[in-house]
Amino acid sequence: MKALLSNSPGMPETLSLSELPDPVAGKGDVILDVKAVGINYPDVLIIQDKYQFKPERPFAPGGEVSGVVSAIGEGVTHLKVGDRVIGSTGWGGLAEKIALPAARCIPIPDTMPFDEAAAFIMTYGTSHYGLKDRGHLKAGETLLVLGAAGGVGLAAVELGKAMGAKVIAACSTQEKVDVCLAHGADEGLVYPTGEFDAEGKKALADLFKKACGPNGADVIYDGVGGAYAEASLRAIGWEGRFLVIGFPAGIPAIPLNLTLLKSCQIVGVFWGAFTARNPQANQENIAELMALYAAGKIKPHVSAHFPLDKGAEAIRHLMDRKATGKVVVTL
């Protein structure tokens, strides 16, 4: 089989398309014929050895796939050959076939296209866990989403609306804001990019404050980090919840006096660890997400497709913040 491999730490351009032996299903495993691979920001980090996990090389990036079960290992009873599934892989997805534990596969309906399936679980799983279990978002509250046109951000926009919140989408361009408005955001704002001096940071905070209004945001979903974190936190409401999602703009240093002044919370959102620590609650959340998808309330927005031999370009496309919604590699 063909696989796009990381042989040494580096940028996407260091990945190489190689031939590997076909995988064999071990006990409790299934083999998937991969049909599509969702590209996520952890793929950018893992190939540079900057992610929480550092798999032994060579490895293929790609943390979520969709495909068809082509073989099952001993002890697998809830899946059969021919089933269409989403697979949560962590890495290894950018390959024609993959072996993974059957417990990490989620059956999908025949009506769900493979590209949407590969763009589904990591973004909506993260955002649903963040908004529901960590942010305790309630109907009628105000939700500010930073990086709102990205994969997890756009999922947060859709889920926030499905949960009855007022959603303000913050993006780097008007084009991205327009995508969010088309996916249900009530309002949008364009924030500047680049380095910020003291005056620029104040102007950024004032931009968020104006968008959120005098009562501030009840929940802030920060998938950007950097200077945007503190600036947006200054726009939080009384007893608000600030959700820490990711740091493509850098890891921020937050003055903790801001939490005292607003009696607010800064809350970490690590969906991957949650799924391992509380699989039952995760299964319940996945069932909720599938019901929302079936009802047409959420739908992955795939803005770019790449073939496997262009998988490095797919990761670079995401890395350079050219994507809205999700980037998917199709096989």
Side-chain angles (χ1 to χ4, degrees), residues 153-221:
L154 202 56
V157 167
E158 290 186 339
L159 288 167
K161 283 307 297 178
M163 296 167 76
K166 174 186 176 182
V167 179
I168 302 171
C171 306
S172 60
T173 69
Q174 185 60 48
E175 179 185 10
K176 291 181 177 180
V177 168
D178 291 342
V179 171
C180 296
L181 294 173
H183 283 257
D186 296 285
E187 299 176 12
L189 68 93
V190 178
Y191 49 64
T193 59
E195 298 297 322
F196 298 94
D197 56 16
E199 185 176 336
K201 291 178 181 177
K202 182 181 184 304
L204 187 61
D206 289 342
L207 182 66
F208 289 130
K209 288 178 182 178
K210 182 179 179 181
C212 294
N215 294 325
D218 298 290
V219 177
I220 296 175
Y221 184 102

Side-chain angles (χ1 to χ4, degrees), residues 243-263:
L243 303 180
V244 180
I245 308 296
F247 319 104
I251 298 177
I254 302 293
L256 287 181
N257 64 305
L258 295 178
T259 64
L260 183 150
L261 294 172
K262 297 293 183 72
S263 197

